Amino acid sequence: EHLDRPCALYALYEGHRGKPGSGSANVCAEFCVKQLHQKLLPKLSAFRGFWEDARLEVAMRESFEELDTEFIEKHPGTTDGCCATVALVTGARVVIATLGDVAAVVCMRNGEAEEFAKPHVAPGLDSDDDDEEDDLPNGGIQPGNSAPIQWTRSLGDSDFKKADSAPKLLSTPEVKVLHLEPKHLGIAFVCRALYNAIGKSTAVSTVSK
């Protein structure tokens, strides 16, 4: 009741590395679908004052990190992982958290689109990847080498979260706050697989329509 209206939560979870025939499409993705909002909502309810952008960002980051820790503790030995993009709408603001292989695209009323949050891919994997913040702690992909895993951040993927893992993945999402204006039409979550299939410019222009 204390958050600006309208207030809503949208999410896209993209599971990976699940075992065929395990009886579950992806253990990590299913866990995140059921539990992420259980982490975030209590934080939003605990503070009754005005939610500044920075406080919203912290709440979202902490929710992802706590979710990842709980999943790994409850599913030891499970290598399933999940990429995610989550959008919390509160009034004229949208808090967008991205982790892994899914981008957030802001669509404009004039038909243009802005890649508000890019996928977190291993350095050297995409030809236009120039984000230094996505460098893996233990190094990226060198020419001639294949990627043991294609993203730098994720939920789950416990075998890449150990102290001696190489590469070592992060569970901290990138969080940004979009202040809505009349020029904004909507937001689309786009997985990198779509980029690779039809090309980034085509994918962005398609979702903007």
Side-chain angles (χ1 to χ4, degrees), residues 13-17 26-29 31-32 64-84 99 149 151-162 165 167-172:
Y13 301 101
E14 183 186 46
H16 53 254
R17 305 180 72 206
N26 184 281
V27 175
C28 186
F31 183 86
C32 294
F64 271 74
E65 291 170 347
E66 292 170 8
L67 181 71
D68 185 63
T69 298
E70 182 176 336
F71 173 76
I72 292 176
E73 289 177 348
K74 290 186 175 181
H75 298 274
T78 299
T79 59
D80 290 25
C82 177
C83 297
L99 188 79
I149 195 163
W151 38 89
T152 60
R153 310 185 192 196
S154 72
L155 296 160
D157 292 315
S158 60
D159 50 334
F160 288 101
K161 299 285 179 65
K162 300 176 182 177
S165 297
K168 186 175 181 180
L169 303 186
L170 304 176
S171 60
T172 302

mmCIF file of all heavy atoms in Angstrom, residues 13-17 26-29 31-32 64-84 99 149 151-162 165 167-172:
data_model
loop_
_atom_site.group_PDB
_atom_site.id
_atom_site.type_symbol
_atom_site.label_atom_id
_atom_site.label_comp_id
_atom_site.label_asym_id
_atom_site.label_seq_id
_atom_site.Cartn_x
_atom_site.Cartn_y
_atom_site.Cartn_z
ATOM 1 N N TYR A 13 12.427 -16.075 -16.695
ATOM 2 C CA TYR A 13 13.481 -16.972 -16.224
ATOM 3 C C TYR A 13 13.842 -17.920 -17.360
ATOM 4 O O TYR A 13 12.982 -18.611 -17.906
ATOM 5 C CB TYR A 13 13.011 -17.768 -15.010
ATOM 6 C CG TYR A 13 12.595 -16.897 -13.848
ATOM 7 C CD1 TYR A 13 11.246 -16.643 -13.598
ATOM 8 C CD2 TYR A 13 13.538 -16.314 -13.013
ATOM 9 C CE1 TYR A 13 10.854 -15.839 -12.536
ATOM 10 C CE2 TYR A 13 13.158 -15.515 -11.949
ATOM 11 C CZ TYR A 13 11.812 -15.280 -11.718
ATOM 12 O OH TYR A 13 11.428 -14.482 -10.669
ATOM 13 N N GLU A 14 15.113 -17.979 -17.688
ATOM 14 C CA GLU A 14 15.595 -18.831 -18.775
ATOM 15 C C GLU A 14 16.528 -19.889 -18.184
ATOM 16 O O GLU A 14 17.689 -19.618 -17.866
ATOM 17 C CB GLU A 14 16.328 -17.992 -19.825
ATOM 18 C CG GLU A 14 16.799 -18.807 -21.017
ATOM 19 C CD GLU A 14 17.644 -17.993 -21.962
ATOM 20 O OE1 GLU A 14 18.549 -17.271 -21.503
ATOM 21 O OE2 GLU A 14 17.403 -18.092 -23.182
ATOM 22 N N GLY A 15 16.006 -21.099 -18.018
ATOM 23 C CA GLY A 15 16.794 -22.174 -17.428
ATOM 24 C C GLY A 15 17.801 -22.755 -18.409
ATOM 25 O O GLY A 15 17.604 -22.717 -19.619
ATOM 26 N N HIS A 16 18.892 -23.268 -17.877
ATOM 27 C CA HIS A 16 19.906 -23.910 -18.715
ATOM 28 C C HIS A 16 20.605 -25.024 -17.943
ATOM 29 O O HIS A 16 20.537 -25.097 -16.727
ATOM 30 C CB HIS A 16 20.942 -22.885 -19.211
ATOM 31 C CG HIS A 16 21.551 -22.069 -18.104
ATOM 32 N ND1 HIS A 16 21.220 -20.739 -17.898
ATOM 33 C CD2 HIS A 16 22.445 -22.379 -17.129
ATOM 34 C CE1 HIS A 16 21.897 -20.274 -16.862
ATOM 35 N NE2 HIS A 16 22.652 -21.251 -16.375
ATOM 36 N N ARG A 17 21.224 -25.926 -18.657
ATOM 37 C CA ARG A 17 22.013 -27.036 -18.115
ATOM 38 C C ARG A 17 21.159 -28.051 -17.350
ATOM 39 O O ARG A 17 21.686 -28.798 -16.529
ATOM 40 C CB ARG A 17 23.155 -26.518 -17.237
ATOM 41 C CG ARG A 17 24.085 -25.525 -17.920
ATOM 42 C CD ARG A 17 25.170 -25.063 -16.985
ATOM 43 N NE ARG A 17 26.138 -26.131 -16.757
ATOM 44 C CZ ARG A 17 26.887 -26.224 -15.654
ATOM 45 N NH1 ARG A 17 26.740 -25.370 -14.671
ATOM 46 N NH2 ARG A 17 27.754 -27.203 -15.534
ATOM 47 N N ASN A 26 13.743 -27.619 -15.482
ATOM 48 C CA ASN A 26 14.955 -27.027 -14.938
ATOM 49 C C ASN A 26 14.703 -26.719 -13.469
ATOM 50 O O ASN A 26 13.845 -25.913 -13.134
ATOM 51 C CB ASN A 26 15.335 -25.758 -15.696
ATOM 52 C CG ASN A 26 16.657 -25.177 -15.217
ATOM 53 O OD1 ASN A 26 16.718 -24.524 -14.186
ATOM 54 N ND2 ASN A 26 17.716 -25.404 -15.984
ATOM 55 N N VAL A 27 15.442 -27.382 -12.605
ATOM 56 C CA VAL A 27 15.224 -27.250 -11.164
ATOM 57 C C VAL A 27 15.426 -25.813 -10.705
ATOM 58 O O VAL A 27 14.656 -25.280 -9.902
ATOM 59 C CB VAL A 27 16.171 -28.195 -10.388
ATOM 60 C CG1 VAL A 27 16.035 -27.981 -8.883
ATOM 61 C CG2 VAL A 27 15.877 -29.638 -10.741
ATOM 62 N N CYS A 28 16.451 -25.171 -11.223
ATOM 63 C CA CYS A 28 16.764 -23.806 -10.788
ATOM 64 C C CYS A 28 15.688 -22.824 -11.244
ATOM 65 O O CYS A 28 15.244 -21.974 -10.470
ATOM 66 C CB CYS A 28 18.130 -23.393 -11.322
ATOM 67 S SG CYS A 28 18.697 -21.785 -10.706
ATOM 68 N N ALA A 29 15.275 -22.913 -12.502
ATOM 69 C CA ALA A 29 14.254 -21.997 -13.013
ATOM 70 C C ALA A 29 12.945 -22.145 -12.240
ATOM 71 O O ALA A 29 12.299 -21.149 -11.886
ATOM 72 C CB ALA A 29 14.026 -22.240 -14.499
ATOM 73 N N PHE A 31 12.575 -23.193 -9.201
ATOM 74 C CA PHE A 31 12.791 -22.662 -7.868
ATOM 75 C C PHE A 31 12.676 -21.139 -7.874
ATOM 76 O O PHE A 31 12.038 -20.537 -6.993
ATOM 77 C CB PHE A 31 14.170 -23.089 -7.362
ATOM 78 C CG PHE A 31 14.485 -22.649 -5.964
ATOM 79 C CD1 PHE A 31 14.101 -23.417 -4.871
ATOM 80 C CD2 PHE A 31 15.186 -21.471 -5.726
ATOM 81 C CE1 PHE A 31 14.392 -23.021 -3.573
ATOM 82 C CE2 PHE A 31 15.482 -21.068 -4.439
ATOM 83 C CZ PHE A 31 15.085 -21.838 -3.351
ATOM 84 N N CYS A 32 13.291 -20.503 -8.864
ATOM 85 C CA CYS A 32 13.270 -19.040 -8.948
ATOM 86 C C CYS A 32 11.864 -18.509 -9.180
ATOM 87 O O CYS A 32 11.470 -17.488 -8.595
ATOM 88 C CB CYS A 32 14.192 -18.581 -10.065
ATOM 89 S SG CYS A 32 15.942 -18.922 -9.761
ATOM 90 N N PHE A 64 18.142 -11.310 -5.208
ATOM 91 C CA PHE A 64 18.791 -12.247 -6.120
ATOM 92 C C PHE A 64 19.886 -13.037 -5.397
ATOM 93 O O PHE A 64 19.985 -14.262 -5.553
ATOM 94 C CB PHE A 64 19.403 -11.490 -7.300
ATOM 95 C CG PHE A 64 18.476 -11.305 -8.469
ATOM 96 C CD1 PHE A 64 17.430 -10.393 -8.408
ATOM 97 C CD2 PHE A 64 18.656 -12.025 -9.635
ATOM 98 C CE1 PHE A 64 16.578 -10.208 -9.473
ATOM 99 C CE2 PHE A 64 17.813 -11.851 -10.723
ATOM 100 C CZ PHE A 64 16.761 -10.938 -10.641
ATOM 101 N N GLU A 65 20.714 -12.343 -4.636
ATOM 102 C CA GLU A 65 21.831 -13.004 -3.969
ATOM 103 C C GLU A 65 21.342 -14.012 -2.929
ATOM 104 O O GLU A 65 21.882 -15.119 -2.818
ATOM 105 C CB GLU A 65 22.727 -11.954 -3.319
ATOM 106 C CG GLU A 65 23.468 -11.096 -4.339
ATOM 107 C CD GLU A 65 24.166 -9.892 -3.731
ATOM 108 O OE1 GLU A 65 23.888 -9.574 -2.556
ATOM 109 O OE2 GLU A 65 24.979 -9.261 -4.434
ATOM 110 N N GLU A 66 20.304 -13.640 -2.175
ATOM 111 C CA GLU A 66 19.745 -14.562 -1.180
ATOM 112 C C GLU A 66 19.092 -15.765 -1.862
ATOM 113 O O GLU A 66 19.184 -16.898 -1.367
ATOM 114 C CB GLU A 66 18.721 -13.821 -0.313
ATOM 115 C CG GLU A 66 19.340 -12.767 0.589
ATOM 116 C CD GLU A 66 18.294 -11.895 1.261
ATOM 117 O OE1 GLU A 66 17.077 -12.211 1.137
ATOM 118 O OE2 GLU A 66 18.683 -10.902 1.901
ATOM 119 N N LEU A 67 18.440 -15.517 -2.985
ATOM 120 C CA LEU A 67 17.809 -16.608 -3.730
ATOM 121 C C LEU A 67 18.852 -17.608 -4.212
ATOM 122 O O LEU A 67 18.670 -18.826 -4.099
ATOM 123 C CB LEU A 67 17.036 -16.030 -4.918
ATOM 124 C CG LEU A 67 16.278 -17.026 -5.800
ATOM 125 C CD1 LEU A 67 15.074 -17.575 -5.050
ATOM 126 C CD2 LEU A 67 15.834 -16.345 -7.092
ATOM 127 N N ASP A 68 19.959 -17.110 -4.734
ATOM 128 C CA ASP A 68 21.014 -17.976 -5.239
ATOM 129 C C ASP A 68 21.621 -18.811 -4.110
ATOM 130 O O ASP A 68 21.832 -20.021 -4.257
ATOM 131 C CB ASP A 68 22.094 -17.128 -5.906
ATOM 132 C CG ASP A 68 23.174 -17.974 -6.570
ATOM 133 O OD1 ASP A 68 22.841 -18.722 -7.509
ATOM 134 O OD2 ASP A 68 24.341 -17.901 -6.139
ATOM 135 N N THR A 69 21.882 -18.168 -2.980
ATOM 136 C CA THR A 69 22.452 -18.873 -1.838
ATOM 137 C C THR A 69 21.523 -19.986 -1.355
ATOM 138 O O THR A 69 21.954 -21.113 -1.098
ATOM 139 C CB THR A 69 22.727 -17.889 -0.680
ATOM 140 O OG1 THR A 69 23.686 -16.907 -1.098
ATOM 141 C CG2 THR A 69 23.263 -18.628 0.538
ATOM 142 N N GLU A 70 20.237 -19.686 -1.264
ATOM 143 C CA GLU A 70 19.270 -20.670 -0.790
ATOM 144 C C GLU A 70 19.137 -21.835 -1.764
ATOM 145 O O GLU A 70 19.058 -22.998 -1.347
ATOM 146 C CB GLU A 70 17.908 -20.029 -0.567
ATOM 147 C CG GLU A 70 16.862 -20.981 -0.027
ATOM 148 C CD GLU A 70 15.537 -20.306 0.273
ATOM 149 O OE1 GLU A 70 15.529 -19.081 0.508
ATOM 150 O OE2 GLU A 70 14.496 -21.010 0.255
ATOM 151 N N PHE A 71 19.127 -21.540 -3.056
ATOM 152 C CA PHE A 71 19.006 -22.616 -4.037
ATOM 153 C C PHE A 71 20.184 -23.576 -3.947
ATOM 154 O O PHE A 71 20.008 -24.801 -3.939
ATOM 155 C CB PHE A 71 18.902 -22.061 -5.455
ATOM 156 C CG PHE A 71 18.938 -23.129 -6.512
ATOM 157 C CD1 PHE A 71 17.826 -23.923 -6.754
ATOM 158 C CD2 PHE A 71 20.100 -23.372 -7.233
ATOM 159 C CE1 PHE A 71 17.867 -24.939 -7.701
ATOM 160 C CE2 PHE A 71 20.146 -24.387 -8.192
ATOM 161 C CZ PHE A 71 19.022 -25.166 -8.417
ATOM 162 N N ILE A 72 21.389 -23.044 -3.877
ATOM 163 C CA ILE A 72 22.578 -23.891 -3.826
ATOM 164 C C ILE A 72 22.606 -24.706 -2.541
ATOM 165 O O ILE A 72 23.015 -25.874 -2.536
ATOM 166 C CB ILE A 72 23.849 -23.025 -3.977
ATOM 167 C CG1 ILE A 72 23.905 -22.442 -5.408
ATOM 168 C CG2 ILE A 72 25.103 -23.838 -3.689
ATOM 169 C CD1 ILE A 72 25.056 -21.495 -5.643
ATOM 170 N N GLU A 73 22.146 -24.112 -1.434
ATOM 171 C CA GLU A 73 22.112 -24.842 -0.165
ATOM 172 C C GLU A 73 21.088 -25.978 -0.194
ATOM 173 O O GLU A 73 21.335 -27.054 0.343
ATOM 174 C CB GLU A 73 21.782 -23.884 0.978
ATOM 175 C CG GLU A 73 22.903 -22.903 1.321
ATOM 176 C CD GLU A 73 22.511 -21.930 2.406
ATOM 177 O OE1 GLU A 73 21.295 -21.862 2.739
ATOM 178 O OE2 GLU A 73 23.397 -21.226 2.922
ATOM 179 N N LYS A 74 19.942 -25.743 -0.829
ATOM 180 C CA LYS A 74 18.880 -26.739 -0.851
ATOM 181 C C LYS A 74 19.067 -27.779 -1.956
ATOM 182 O O LYS A 74 18.434 -28.844 -1.910
ATOM 183 C CB LYS A 74 17.521 -26.051 -1.017
ATOM 184 C CG LYS A 74 17.085 -25.268 0.214
ATOM 185 C CD LYS A 74 15.679 -24.734 0.062
ATOM 186 C CE LYS A 74 15.201 -24.062 1.336
ATOM 187 N NZ LYS A 74 13.810 -23.537 1.220
ATOM 188 N N HIS A 75 19.891 -27.473 -2.939
ATOM 189 C CA HIS A 75 20.098 -28.404 -4.060
ATOM 190 C C HIS A 75 21.597 -28.636 -4.275
ATOM 191 O O HIS A 75 22.126 -28.317 -5.349
ATOM 192 C CB HIS A 75 19.441 -27.859 -5.327
ATOM 193 C CG HIS A 75 17.965 -27.687 -5.220
ATOM 194 N ND1 HIS A 75 17.067 -28.705 -5.472
ATOM 195 C CD2 HIS A 75 17.216 -26.613 -4.857
ATOM 196 C CE1 HIS A 75 15.832 -28.268 -5.295
ATOM 197 N NE2 HIS A 75 15.891 -27.008 -4.913
ATOM 198 N N PRO A 76 22.279 -29.181 -3.285
ATOM 199 C CA PRO A 76 23.716 -29.430 -3.443
ATOM 200 C C PRO A 76 23.980 -30.442 -4.552
ATOM 201 O O PRO A 76 23.270 -31.426 -4.696
ATOM 202 C CB PRO A 76 24.117 -29.993 -2.066
ATOM 203 C CG PRO A 76 22.851 -30.585 -1.516
ATOM 204 C CD PRO A 76 21.751 -29.685 -1.995
ATOM 205 N N GLY A 77 24.968 -30.137 -5.349
ATOM 206 C CA GLY A 77 25.315 -31.046 -6.430
ATOM 207 C C GLY A 77 24.543 -30.820 -7.708
ATOM 208 O O GLY A 77 24.871 -31.390 -8.748
ATOM 209 N N THR A 78 23.495 -30.009 -7.645
ATOM 210 C CA THR A 78 22.714 -29.708 -8.852
ATOM 211 C C THR A 78 23.414 -28.631 -9.665
ATOM 212 O O THR A 78 23.743 -27.567 -9.130
ATOM 213 C CB THR A 78 21.297 -29.217 -8.477
ATOM 214 O OG1 THR A 78 20.633 -30.243 -7.748
ATOM 215 C CG2 THR A 78 20.500 -28.884 -9.726
ATOM 216 N N THR A 79 23.641 -28.900 -10.937
ATOM 217 C CA THR A 79 24.351 -27.940 -11.780
ATOM 218 C C THR A 79 23.403 -27.097 -12.625
ATOM 219 O O THR A 79 23.860 -26.265 -13.410
ATOM 220 C CB THR A 79 25.345 -28.662 -12.707
ATOM 221 O OG1 THR A 79 24.633 -29.599 -13.531
ATOM 222 C CG2 THR A 79 26.403 -29.391 -11.896
ATOM 223 N N ASP A 80 22.093 -27.312 -12.479
ATOM 224 C CA ASP A 80 21.133 -26.495 -13.219
ATOM 225 C C ASP A 80 21.354 -25.016 -12.897
ATOM 226 O O ASP A 80 21.705 -24.648 -11.769
ATOM 227 C CB ASP A 80 19.699 -26.853 -12.837
ATOM 228 C CG ASP A 80 19.290 -28.221 -13.331
ATOM 229 O OD1 ASP A 80 20.178 -29.062 -13.522
ATOM 230 O OD2 ASP A 80 18.084 -28.459 -13.513
ATOM 231 N N GLY A 81 21.122 -24.171 -13.890
ATOM 232 C CA GLY A 81 21.249 -22.737 -13.687
ATOM 233 C C GLY A 81 20.100 -21.996 -14.334
ATOM 234 O O GLY A 81 19.271 -22.581 -15.030
ATOM 235 N N CYS A 82 20.066 -20.706 -14.098
ATOM 236 C CA CYS A 82 18.964 -19.896 -14.608
ATOM 237 C C CYS A 82 19.428 -18.468 -14.809
ATOM 238 O O CYS A 82 20.085 -17.885 -13.939
ATOM 239 C CB CYS A 82 17.804 -19.946 -13.602
ATOM 240 S SG CYS A 82 16.384 -18.919 -14.052
ATOM 241 N N CYS A 83 19.113 -17.911 -15.970
ATOM 242 C CA CYS A 83 19.286 -16.485 -16.221
ATOM 243 C C CYS A 83 17.931 -15.820 -16.000
ATOM 244 O O CYS A 83 16.888 -16.464 -16.141
ATOM 245 C CB CYS A 83 19.772 -16.236 -17.645
ATOM 246 S SG CYS A 83 21.405 -16.944 -18.004
ATOM 247 N N ALA A 84 17.936 -14.549 -15.662
ATOM 248 C CA ALA A 84 16.670 -13.901 -15.333
ATOM 249 C C ALA A 84 16.710 -12.411 -15.602
ATOM 250 O O ALA A 84 17.756 -11.765 -15.480
ATOM 251 C CB ALA A 84 16.320 -14.151 -13.866
ATOM 252 N N LEU A 99 20.297 -10.648 -15.136
ATOM 253 C CA LEU A 99 21.329 -11.583 -14.696
ATOM 254 C C LEU A 99 21.488 -12.639 -15.777
ATOM 255 O O LEU A 99 20.618 -13.477 -15.973
ATOM 256 C CB LEU A 99 20.902 -12.236 -13.376
ATOM 257 C CG LEU A 99 21.925 -13.103 -12.656
ATOM 258 C CD1 LEU A 99 22.912 -12.216 -11.899
ATOM 259 C CD2 LEU A 99 21.228 -14.019 -11.663
ATOM 260 N N ILE A 149 31.170 -21.949 -20.278
ATOM 261 C CA ILE A 149 29.831 -21.445 -20.006
ATOM 262 C C ILE A 149 29.762 -20.056 -20.627
ATOM 263 O O ILE A 149 30.753 -19.324 -20.648
ATOM 264 C CB ILE A 149 29.537 -21.423 -18.491
ATOM 265 C CG1 ILE A 149 28.046 -21.266 -18.240
ATOM 266 C CG2 ILE A 149 30.346 -20.352 -17.778
ATOM 267 C CD1 ILE A 149 27.626 -21.641 -16.826
ATOM 268 N N TRP A 151 27.838 -17.254 -20.105
ATOM 269 C CA TRP A 151 27.423 -16.025 -19.431
ATOM 270 C C TRP A 151 28.299 -15.806 -18.215
ATOM 271 O O TRP A 151 29.008 -16.699 -17.740
ATOM 272 C CB TRP A 151 25.949 -16.098 -19.041
ATOM 273 C CG TRP A 151 25.547 -17.468 -18.581
ATOM 274 C CD1 TRP A 151 25.591 -17.961 -17.322
ATOM 275 C CD2 TRP A 151 25.072 -18.534 -19.416
ATOM 276 N NE1 TRP A 151 25.169 -19.267 -17.294
ATOM 277 C CE2 TRP A 151 24.846 -19.652 -18.568
ATOM 278 C CE3 TRP A 151 24.808 -18.668 -20.775
ATOM 279 C CZ2 TRP A 151 24.373 -20.873 -19.056
ATOM 280 C CZ3 TRP A 151 24.354 -19.877 -21.245
ATOM 281 C CH2 TRP A 151 24.133 -20.954 -20.390
ATOM 282 N N THR A 152 28.282 -14.604 -17.685
ATOM 283 C CA THR A 152 29.148 -14.246 -16.564
ATOM 284 C C THR A 152 28.388 -14.139 -15.247
ATOM 285 O O THR A 152 29.004 -14.044 -14.189
ATOM 286 C CB THR A 152 29.840 -12.899 -16.834
ATOM 287 O OG1 THR A 152 28.845 -11.882 -17.011
ATOM 288 C CG2 THR A 152 30.704 -12.983 -18.076
ATOM 289 N N ARG A 153 27.059 -14.129 -15.316
ATOM 290 C CA ARG A 153 26.229 -14.043 -14.110
ATOM 291 C C ARG A 153 25.058 -15.003 -14.255
ATOM 292 O O ARG A 153 24.522 -15.175 -15.351
ATOM 293 C CB ARG A 153 25.691 -12.625 -13.900
ATOM 294 C CG ARG A 153 26.740 -11.521 -13.987
ATOM 295 C CD ARG A 153 26.138 -10.177 -13.637
ATOM 296 N NE ARG A 153 27.019 -9.080 -13.979
ATOM 297 C CZ ARG A 153 26.890 -7.840 -13.518
ATOM 298 N NH1 ARG A 153 25.903 -7.553 -12.691
ATOM 299 N NH2 ARG A 153 27.727 -6.890 -13.881
ATOM 300 N N SER A 154 24.660 -15.601 -13.154
ATOM 301 C CA SER A 154 23.518 -16.512 -13.212
ATOM 302 C C SER A 154 23.062 -16.859 -11.807
ATOM 303 O O SER A 154 23.760 -16.607 -10.817
ATOM 304 C CB SER A 154 23.866 -17.796 -13.971
ATOM 305 O OG SER A 154 24.730 -18.608 -13.186
ATOM 306 N N LEU A 155 21.906 -17.478 -11.739
ATOM 307 C CA LEU A 155 21.431 -18.132 -10.532
ATOM 308 C C LEU A 155 21.725 -19.617 -10.693
ATOM 309 O O LEU A 155 21.632 -20.160 -11.802
ATOM 310 C CB LEU A 155 19.935 -17.892 -10.343
ATOM 311 C CG LEU A 155 19.534 -16.432 -10.125
ATOM 312 C CD1 LEU A 155 18.053 -16.227 -10.428
ATOM 313 C CD2 LEU A 155 19.852 -16.002 -8.707
ATOM 314 N N GLY A 156 22.077 -20.294 -9.611
ATOM 315 C CA GLY A 156 22.441 -21.696 -9.733
ATOM 316 C C GLY A 156 23.836 -21.861 -10.309
ATOM 317 O O GLY A 156 24.742 -21.109 -9.970
ATOM 318 N N ASP A 157 24.001 -22.873 -11.184
ATOM 319 C CA ASP A 157 25.326 -23.171 -11.757
ATOM 320 C C ASP A 157 26.350 -23.301 -10.636
ATOM 321 O O ASP A 157 27.425 -22.688 -10.665
ATOM 322 C CB ASP A 157 25.761 -22.086 -12.749
ATOM 323 C CG ASP A 157 24.916 -22.061 -14.007
ATOM 324 O OD1 ASP A 157 24.656 -23.141 -14.557
ATOM 325 O OD2 ASP A 157 24.491 -20.962 -14.426
ATOM 326 N N SER A 158 26.033 -24.124 -9.636
ATOM 327 C CA SER A 158 26.837 -24.194 -8.416
ATOM 328 C C SER A 158 28.287 -24.589 -8.662
ATOM 329 O O SER A 158 29.177 -24.190 -7.913
ATOM 330 C CB SER A 158 26.195 -25.169 -7.421
ATOM 331 O OG SER A 158 26.112 -26.476 -7.971
ATOM 332 N N ASP A 159 28.538 -25.368 -9.719
ATOM 333 C CA ASP A 159 29.913 -25.781 -9.991
ATOM 334 C C ASP A 159 30.770 -24.630 -10.496
ATOM 335 O O ASP A 159 32.000 -24.747 -10.537
ATOM 336 C CB ASP A 159 29.941 -26.951 -10.992
ATOM 337 C CG ASP A 159 29.091 -26.691 -12.227
ATOM 338 O OD1 ASP A 159 28.125 -25.915 -12.134
ATOM 339 O OD2 ASP A 159 29.394 -27.276 -13.282
ATOM 340 N N PHE A 160 30.145 -23.503 -10.846
ATOM 341 C CA PHE A 160 30.894 -22.315 -11.247
ATOM 342 C C PHE A 160 30.819 -21.222 -10.189
ATOM 343 O O PHE A 160 31.131 -20.062 -10.464
ATOM 344 C CB PHE A 160 30.373 -21.774 -12.583
ATOM 345 C CG PHE A 160 30.734 -22.618 -13.766
ATOM 346 C CD1 PHE A 160 29.802 -23.483 -14.328
ATOM 347 C CD2 PHE A 160 32.012 -22.574 -14.316
ATOM 348 C CE1 PHE A 160 30.131 -24.270 -15.416
ATOM 349 C CE2 PHE A 160 32.345 -23.366 -15.404
ATOM 350 C CZ PHE A 160 31.404 -24.222 -15.965
ATOM 351 N N LYS A 161 30.409 -21.592 -8.976
ATOM 352 C CA LYS A 161 30.329 -20.623 -7.878
ATOM 353 C C LYS A 161 31.335 -20.934 -6.767
ATOM 354 O O LYS A 161 31.373 -20.252 -5.755
ATOM 355 C CB LYS A 161 28.904 -20.626 -7.294
ATOM 356 C CG LYS A 161 27.798 -20.229 -8.278
ATOM 357 C CD LYS A 161 27.786 -18.750 -8.546
ATOM 358 C CE LYS A 161 26.703 -18.344 -9.550
ATOM 359 N NZ LYS A 161 25.337 -18.562 -9.060
ATOM 360 N N LYS A 162 32.123 -21.979 -6.941
ATOM 361 C CA LYS A 162 33.100 -22.369 -5.925
ATOM 362 C C LYS A 162 34.294 -21.423 -5.943
ATOM 363 O O LYS A 162 34.539 -20.730 -6.926
ATOM 364 C CB LYS A 162 33.558 -23.810 -6.171
ATOM 365 C CG LYS A 162 32.432 -24.828 -6.109
ATOM 366 C CD LYS A 162 32.917 -26.218 -6.464
ATOM 367 C CE LYS A 162 31.780 -27.228 -6.458
ATOM 368 N NZ LYS A 162 32.222 -28.583 -6.861
ATOM 369 N N SER A 165 36.610 -22.051 -8.829
ATOM 370 C CA SER A 165 35.980 -22.224 -10.141
ATOM 371 C C SER A 165 36.649 -21.345 -11.190
ATOM 372 O O SER A 165 37.069 -20.224 -10.920
ATOM 373 C CB SER A 165 34.492 -21.862 -10.068
ATOM 374 O OG SER A 165 33.801 -22.717 -9.203
ATOM 375 N N PRO A 167 35.689 -20.552 -15.280
ATOM 376 C CA PRO A 167 35.431 -19.217 -14.744
ATOM 377 C C PRO A 167 34.540 -19.264 -13.507
ATOM 378 O O PRO A 167 33.918 -20.295 -13.229
ATOM 379 C CB PRO A 167 34.701 -18.526 -15.900
ATOM 380 C CG PRO A 167 33.979 -19.651 -16.593
ATOM 381 C CD PRO A 167 34.916 -20.826 -16.506
ATOM 382 N N LYS A 168 34.462 -18.151 -12.804
ATOM 383 C CA LYS A 168 33.606 -18.062 -11.624
ATOM 384 C C LYS A 168 32.484 -17.083 -11.911
ATOM 385 O O LYS A 168 32.716 -15.931 -12.276
ATOM 386 C CB LYS A 168 34.420 -17.591 -10.418
ATOM 387 C CG LYS A 168 33.625 -17.606 -9.117
ATOM 388 C CD LYS A 168 34.510 -17.253 -7.930
ATOM 389 C CE LYS A 168 33.717 -17.297 -6.634
ATOM 390 N NZ LYS A 168 34.565 -16.954 -5.459
ATOM 391 N N LEU A 169 31.245 -17.555 -11.748
ATOM 392 C CA LEU A 169 30.080 -16.728 -12.065
ATOM 393 C C LEU A 169 29.633 -15.909 -10.863
ATOM 394 O O LEU A 169 29.823 -16.299 -9.713
ATOM 395 C CB LEU A 169 28.921 -17.603 -12.540
ATOM 396 C CG LEU A 169 29.183 -18.509 -13.743
ATOM 397 C CD1 LEU A 169 27.889 -19.192 -14.174
ATOM 398 C CD2 LEU A 169 29.775 -17.728 -14.900
ATOM 399 N N LEU A 170 29.006 -14.784 -11.166
ATOM 400 C CA LEU A 170 28.450 -13.901 -10.144
ATOM 401 C C LEU A 170 26.944 -14.115 -10.041
ATOM 402 O O LEU A 170 26.284 -14.446 -11.025
ATOM 403 C CB LEU A 170 28.731 -12.440 -10.488
ATOM 404 C CG LEU A 170 30.195 -12.041 -10.718
ATOM 405 C CD1 LEU A 170 30.273 -10.573 -11.137
ATOM 406 C CD2 LEU A 170 31.029 -12.284 -9.470
ATOM 407 N N SER A 171 26.397 -13.909 -8.854
ATOM 408 C CA SER A 171 24.943 -13.996 -8.671
ATOM 409 C C SER A 171 24.327 -12.629 -8.429
ATOM 410 O O SER A 171 23.135 -12.520 -8.139
ATOM 411 C CB SER A 171 24.621 -14.918 -7.483
ATOM 412 O OG SER A 171 25.191 -14.417 -6.293
ATOM 413 N N THR A 172 25.140 -11.575 -8.536
ATOM 414 C CA THR A 172 24.648 -10.211 -8.336
ATOM 415 C C THR A 172 24.116 -9.660 -9.655
ATOM 416 O O THR A 172 24.857 -9.598 -10.638
ATOM 417 C CB THR A 172 25.771 -9.295 -7.816
ATOM 418 O OG1 THR A 172 26.283 -9.824 -6.593
ATOM 419 C CG2 THR A 172 25.232 -7.890 -7.576
#
